[in-house]
Amino acid sequence: MTRRVGVIVNPIAGMGGRVGLKGTDGPDLLHRALERGAVPVAAERARRALARLAERAPAELEVVEVPTPGSAAQTRAAAAALAAAGVDLILFAGGDGTARDVSAAADSRVPILGIPAGVKMHSACFGATPEAAGEAAAAYLRDPGPHALTEAEIADAAEPADTELRRSAYRSGRQIDAAPDRAPLSTVLHGVALVPRAPGCRLGPKAASAGGGDGALEAACARVAAEVDPAALTLFGPGTTTARIERALGLEPSLRGVDAARDGRLVARDATEAELLALLAGATAGAGATAETPAAPGAPPAAHLVLGVVGGQGSLLGRGNQPLSPAVLRRVDRSRITVVADRRKLLALDPPQLRVDTGDPDLDHDLSGHVRVRVAARETLMCAVTS
Amino acid sequence: MSAFEPTRPLPRFHGAKWDEPVVMEMGRPGRRGQLLPQVEDDLAPLEELVPAGLRREQAPALPELSEFEVQRHYLHLSQMTLGMMGINLFGTCTMKYNARVNEHVTARPELAEVHPAQPVETLQGVLQLVHDFERFACELSGMARFVFQPGGGADAAYTHACVTRAWLAARGELEQRTEVITTIQTHPCNAATAAAAGFDVITLPLGPDGYPTIESLRAALSERTAALMIGNPDDMGIYNPDVREWVELVHEAGGLAFYDSATFNGVMSRVRASELGFDACMYMLHKTFGAPKGGGGPAVGAYGCSEELVPFLPRPLVTRDEEGRYGLEQVEDAPQSIGKVREFWGNVPVVVKAYAWVRALGAKGIRDAADLSVLANNYMDTRLAQVRGVQQTNPGVDKPRLEMTRWSLEQVREETGVDVHDISNRMVDFGVDAPWLAHEPWITPEPITPEPGELWSKEDVDTWIDVLAHVIEEAYADPELVRTAPHNHAIAQVDPSGIDDPRQWATTWRSHLKKRAAAGEEGPVGARSAGGVGVGAPEAGS
């Protein structure tokens, strides 16, 4: 029997990421992304997923195409057309914004699956990587049906315009952020979609971090702050955990962007990839130093990168911190990457591993293996890292 | 999988409930338990016998009761005490029968009335028992020496952290080797004591086989590695078959390997720490070796080590010369010793009870006990797997578990809203004791960890499973009944909301009176005059 898969690629998804924007939702942000020199990423990620799907697909597979959407309305229309055409699965490349539009049109009648290509991916409908999405789509299409489906939360970062949504989510008891004072980073639930049940392939929903009162994490942050060398260029990834470390150092964090500090002050706040590269170029004398080729005397110490872990996705790189591009990451020695996270957040990960998805498979491979995540002043948790 | 069938009618239990005030509020002025004789005339006056600074100005405010009233009151309190008297499969604690004869033995004057500071010539019998029991422990573990000073398992883990420090210092590596590796399912006292001793702890999470991958161990090992501290099997009953290779890797990296043998019961006489390459290990005499436990009472974490680490052990150690005379090697005789981790030789009565347990079972009995505990657990696994909503952890691991298994009741909670605490509370309504859940951190949602050991009969194990299955059926049929349990006990649910407010509880009568007085001035707090003290007070049950 012929299976049918509908494919939607949001051509602008993810473009804002590397240029320091929090999304590419709407014409304004797209315009700003283009101004900053953004290049399309979704098509390439869709190609990677479809290549894997083609390898593993059932014998008879029909790919249903629709006109390429660009705006939210076009995405919804495309998804509605695919649903009306009776496809077995809608495979889309995009982020949380695309997921909201596709799931609204699919209306829990048609299963959906996301190829991760956005800036934000808080929803639980994305494959961990483009290849994993292709794999999960192929597995479902070989044996589709209700038994192979599960419900997934469609979420997005709360924007000021979402205040009313946040209130209604709260009223219905479904709000998934737990700390009102962390509102800028909270996630809002927009709906529930049917997605293929593919253990290990999908990202979990982003687990919003619990409120304060966590002594172990506080102590972990204090220790990392104490270990930051003021003379070194130190990059801080986004999130509440790295923000705690920045505050401990007397810095004012941007929370959702990548910050850079040196000599006790921020030298870039909510930086773009280009700004980070420029800063790193100034620190290259030390950045490339290794045990074999030590830095020249008087050279600045090697750059230091401090990262948190993104909620239930277990994402270390590639989700919300795209200014930390492959070019940036290649200029930071692996031994100079410090990861800090709430122990409970790590233990809630299923599967229990961190993921890197920088967009550069070679770099992802280099970054894979194990990383020690500091969870307390005197304790680290060894985490497997996969791409 | 066959459907679950109960084996027998459920116990029709009901706990006693005595509505009595606390003993400080009982009695009447002038009532006495014992009538003491008058002071003899030819004794010197009190002022000459007791220095002024030690004399009370007022008599203590003790309750005045007859002996019978006191005895009856404490009998009632014991009847209202919940736990440890029913069928108790409290996992990780290895519940055993604590033979009453051991209480008589340890109450004999040869042990009860000696003091460790006596001349050793007058302590030969006690020293012989300690010496011989040390040989038993060495035989079971392959270690060179044991010390019984540590007052529990965590104290023994701390002893190891201190021994590791001393060993590193002697090698000039204390500054370099700062990291101790443990696993997420090893008892958290290992991570905690290593951190308390100044080490940085690396915790390895579980891999797909139910134990950490060897790759994660390799990633953790370096020139900074001081020690590995792990249990095996872990407290989910899964045995890491690569443990010998783990120890070799740690040794290659230059660290020590410590075997937390808290889960020794299923592998007694089948696994020796030394044959796996470990440098040190720990047994809990109050668990595996049949001595009583609980209530914070005396315990012993027996710490054993290889010949290389003996110089660093706490002292005193018992010695035996060529003529068979026993003696004590003191701290002063061992310049590299870490010193004492507890007073004198530790809790010697616990060692004597463990000695009696080993002698009663013998080598074959110990092996049979280990095998029975694994057999009983695998029998439990078969029946528990048939109970609705009960899921084995690590379902992808098809190897049989050893002496205990961790289960998850997450499905029950998802489908009924009833959680493991509710289910524990309801199980005690049938005269079985609440199950052990899991050590922190909970990596399994809604965990329970039953451990049948070699003590409990098949009938007992079946009854326990029947009760659990019945309570889960109740959760589906009438969740409110389970959520509001227990219903058949002196105490229903205790409101824990005041536990972080010290004004609302008191641990002594005097403190209770003070806080009650303060509350009278400052407004209402939880401390009450009748029925008990603070939040621990019995709240009227249904």
Side-chain angles (χ1 to χ4, degrees):
Chain A
M1 177 181 173
T2 303
R3 305 292 180 200
R4 309 176 78 207
V5 58
V7 178
I8 294 175
V9 179
N10 178 354
I12 61 167
M15 286 176 66
R18 278 191 203 166
V19 290
L21 299 177
K22 301 300 166 288
T24 329
D25 309 338
D28 274 4
L29 282 174
L30 174 60
H31 187 66
R32 284 168 59 191
L34 289 170
E35 270 181 1
R36 295 188 185 191
V39 292
V41 291
E44 169 59 18
R45 297 178 77 84
R47 190 198 61 75
R48 282 167 57 185
L50 291 170
R52 182 61 64 91
L53 172 60
E55 271 175 45
R56 309 285 167 91
E60 296 175 70
L61 177 68
E62 183 186 351
V63 177
V64 184
E65 295 168 345
V66 289
T68 303
S71 70
Q74 285 170 306
T75 301
R76 283 195 292 270
L82 289 173
V87 296
D88 294 292
L89 174 72
I90 299 177
L91 187 61
F92 69 91
D96 280 328
T98 320
R100 280 172 72 175
D101 296 324
V102 172
S103 66
D107 195 22
S108 288
R109 284 177 289 118
V110 185
I112 69 170
L113 181 63
I115 301 163
V119 180
K120 303 155 293 170
M121 279 163 283
H122 300 88
S123 304
C125 63
F126 292 100
T129 60
E131 285 75 15
E135 190 89 48
Y140 177 72
L141 291 165
R142 283 196 301 269
D143 181 22
H147 66 279
L149 291 172
T150 186
E151 289 184 330
E153 292 177 336
I154 304 299
D156 201 350
E159 301 293 344
D162 283 328
T163 307
E164 186 50 41
L165 276 171
R166 286 165 52 76
R167 287 208 192 101
S168 73
Y170 185 73
R171 278 198 297 271
S172 61
R174 298 303 302 271
Q175 190 185 28
I176 46 182
D177 74 64
D181 61 330
R182 299 282 185 257
L185 273 185
S186 62
T187 50
V188 171
L189 184 68
H190 289 288
V192 172
L194 280 179
V195 300
R197 191 191 293 275
C201 275
R202 267 187 319 110
L203 297 177
K206 180 184 164 85
S209 34
D214 187 327
L217 183 61
E218 191 68 35
C221 290
R223 167 148 179 186
V224 173
E227 287 175 349
V228 166
D229 178 355
L233 176 69
T234 304
L235 311 183
F236 296 94
T240 52
T241 305
T242 45
R244 274 203 210 191
I245 299 166
E246 291 180 72
R247 290 198 183 99
L249 291 164
L251 308 170
E252 183 49 46
S254 66
L255 271 175
R256 284 207 273 173
V258 179
D259 301 338
R262 189 167 47 209
D263 300 326
R265 62 184 191 86
L266 282 187
V267 291
R269 193 163 180 277
D270 199 2
T272 63
E273 177 194 17
E275 287 170 319
L276 295 177
L277 286 173
L279 286 165
L280 285 163
T284 44
T290 62
E292 288 75 32
T293 56
H304 185 188
L305 172 60
V306 181
L307 290 174
V309 171
V310 179
Q313 300 178 339
S315 176
L316 191 58
L317 287 163
R319 296 287 180 278
N321 52 16
Q322 282 92 335
L324 298 171
S325 67
V328 170
L329 293 169
R330 286 190 187 285
R331 286 165 188 270
V332 179
D333 192 88
R334 270 197 71 175
S335 68
R336 298 284 288 156
I337 300 179
T338 301
V339 187
V340 191
D342 188 319
R343 179 206 309 268
R344 294 166 299 184
K345 187 192 264 186
L346 295 174
L347 295 177
L349 294 176
D350 185 24
Q353 58 196 11
L354 301 180
R355 298 179 182 281
V356 289
D357 185 16
T358 63
D360 177 341
D362 290 342
L363 180 64
D364 288 350
H365 183 261
D366 290 347
L367 291 167
S368 297
H370 287 86
V371 66
R372 290 172 60 175
V373 182
R374 183 154 294 283
V375 296
R378 287 196 179 276
E379 187 178 358
T380 53
L381 194 64
M382 183 65 72
C383 291
V385 181
T386 63
S387 55
Chain B
M1 186 173 75
S2 50
F4 180 82
E5 291 285 343
T7 57
R8 52 183 35 79
L10 294 173
R12 294 174 59 195
F13 170 85
H14 202 292
K17 180 180 175 185
W18 300 98
D19 195 14
E20 291 178 8
V22 297
V23 71
M24 298 302 291
E25 294 186 325
M26 295 175 79
R28 287 176 70 98
R31 194 168 292 168
R32 288 290 179 271
Q34 296 286 336
L35 292 176
L36 302 176
Q38 291 295 311
V39 177
E40 292 160 44
D41 292 340
D42 53 350
L43 271 178
L46 186 66
E47 291 72 22
E48 290 177 26
L49 290 172
V50 182
L54 292 180
R55 283 199 297 270
R56 283 183 177 277
E57 290 172 7
Q58 291 176 334
L62 295 174
E64 298 174 82
L65 293 96
S66 69
E67 180 175 326
F68 164 63
E69 287 172 321
V70 173
Q71 192 269 346
R72 182 179 62 179
H73 177 63
Y74 283 97
L75 175 67
H76 289 171
L77 290 183
S78 75
Q79 289 171 338
M80 292 196 294
T81 301
L82 189 158
M84 306 298 173
M85 293 304 287
I87 299 170
N88 191 313
L89 311 185
F90 208 71
T92 78
C93 270
T94 316
M95 304 305 289
K96 301 210 175 189
Y97 176 61
N98 310 132
R100 288 297 171 265
V101 67
N102 289 348
E103 300 304 321
H104 293 283
V105 168
T106 51
R108 289 182 62 87
E110 293 90 335
L111 182 65
E113 294 180 13
V114 296
H115 192 281
Q118 283 175 218
V120 290
E121 304 81 62
T122 66
L123 293 169
Q124 289 296 303
V126 183
L127 288 169
Q128 183 184 353
L129 282 182
V130 175
H131 173 271
D132 288 358
F133 183 74
E134 186 185 348
R135 299 325 304 160
F136 299 160
C138 290
E139 180 61 28
L140 284 165
S141 64
M143 292 291 130
R145 294 300 307 258
F146 265 82
V147 65
F148 306 114
Q149 253 181 30
D155 206 1
Y158 184 65
T159 301
H160 181 72
C162 295
V163 165
T164 302
R165 232 171 26 192
W167 176 77
L168 290 172
R171 295 159 63 94
E173 293 186 331
L174 188 56
E175 298 295 313
Q176 172 199 331
R177 296 190 178 271
T178 55
E179 293 175 351
V180 168
I181 302 166
T182 185
T183 74
I184 193 81
Q185 283 288 20
T186 293
H187 191 281
C189 78
N190 288 278
T193 55
F199 291 104
D200 220 351
V201 177
I202 307 173
T203 304
L204 309 181
L206 299 187
D209 297 324
Y211 47 86
T213 64
I214 204 153
E215 289 75 28
S216 68
L217 173 69
R218 286 183 203 274
L221 289 167
S222 74
E223 71 286 352
R224 296 184 300 278
T225 302
L228 172 75
M229 296 174 76
I230 54 167
N232 193 31
D234 64 21
D235 65 8
M236 302 186 304
I238 298 176
Y239 188 84
N240 177 353
D242 303 330
V243 66
R244 203 187 303 256
E245 193 181 348
W246 276 50
V247 173
E248 281 169 15
L249 288 171
V250 171
H251 285 162
E252 281 168 24
L256 293 175
F258 169 70
Y259 192 173
D260 177 344
S261 301
T263 53
F264 188 50
N265 214 56
V267 296
M268 292 184 296
S269 84
R270 298 213 175 262
V271 165
R272 280 157 59 102
S274 67
E275 287 165 15
L276 299 176
F278 282 98
D279 305 288
C281 73
M282 178 278 291
Y283 296 133
M284 284 185 282
L285 305 190
H286 50 290
K287 292 186 176 176
T288 317
F289 288 77
K293 74 180 124 308
V300 169
Y303 176 77
C305 67
S306 65
E307 203 66 64
E308 184 185 357
L309 297 180
V310 170
F312 308 102
L313 276 182
R315 299 295 193 276
L317 291 176
V318 177
T319 59
R320 184 174 188 271
D321 68 17
E322 285 166 5
E323 279 87 48
R325 285 187 304 250
Y326 298 96
L328 290 168
E329 183 186 297
Q330 300 289 354
V331 175
E332 304 79 69
D333 310 324
Q336 290 184 297
S337 165
I338 62 168
K340 290 177 185 289
V341 296
R342 198 181 174 83
E343 306 86 344
F344 300 109
W345 327 342
N347 289 314
V348 172
V350 179
V351 177
V352 172
K353 288 171 186 178
Y355 175 93
W357 180 83
V358 170
R359 291 300 299 265
L361 265 72
K364 181 175 185 305
I366 288 174
R367 172 160 291 212
D368 287 347
D371 292 354
L372 272 173
S373 70
V374 175
L375 181 66
N377 186 48
N378 279 271
Y379 173 72
M380 268 196 104
D381 281 358
T382 306
R383 284 200 74 212
L384 283 173
Q386 298 165 351
V387 179
R388 179 178 179 183
V390 177
Q391 292 163 319
Q392 199 176 59
T393 53
N394 297 284
V397 178
D398 57 2
K399 286 192 299 189
R401 305 304 195 257
L402 293 185
E403 86 294 5
M404 65 183 144
T405 302
R406 177 148 310 141
W407 297 81
S408 173
L409 305 185
E410 171 69 357
Q411 186 187 327
V412 176
R413 191 198 59 77
E414 276 184 359
E415 293 175 355
T416 69
V418 169
D419 69 17
V420 278
H421 302 98
D422 302 325
I423 287 169
S424 299
N425 285 345
R426 180 58 178 156
M427 285 181 78
V428 302
D429 274 344
F430 298 91
V432 306
D433 290 350
W436 168 246
L437 305 180
H439 292 298
E440 293 286 337
W442 280 13
I443 58 174
T444 297
E446 305 300 319
I448 60 167
T449 316
E451 179 188 4
E454 72 274 17
L455 168 65
W456 304 95
S457 66
K458 181 170 177 298
E459 303 90 85
D460 286 339
V461 170
D462 278 333
T463 298
W464 194 95
I465 298 168
D466 288 354
V467 168
L468 175 67
H470 176 79
V471 170
I472 288 173
E473 285 308 313
E474 285 183 339
Y476 282 97
D478 184 1
E480 201 55 25
L481 174 72
V482 183
R483 267 199 291 269
T484 51
H487 302 288
N488 300 339
H489 271 275
I491 299 174
Q493 293 182 5
V494 175
D495 174 10
S497 58
I499 204 74
D500 290 327
D501 178 5
R503 290 174 306 170
Q504 295 192 43
W505 46 260
T507 52
T508 65
W509 179 249
R510 188 184 295 182
S511 161
H512 167 63
L513 292 180
K514 263 189 211 163
K515 289 181 180 181
R516 193 170 60 173
E521 292 155 18
E522 293 171 9
V525 294
R528 302 186 334 242
S529 61
V533 179
V535 292
E539 203 62 65
S542 61

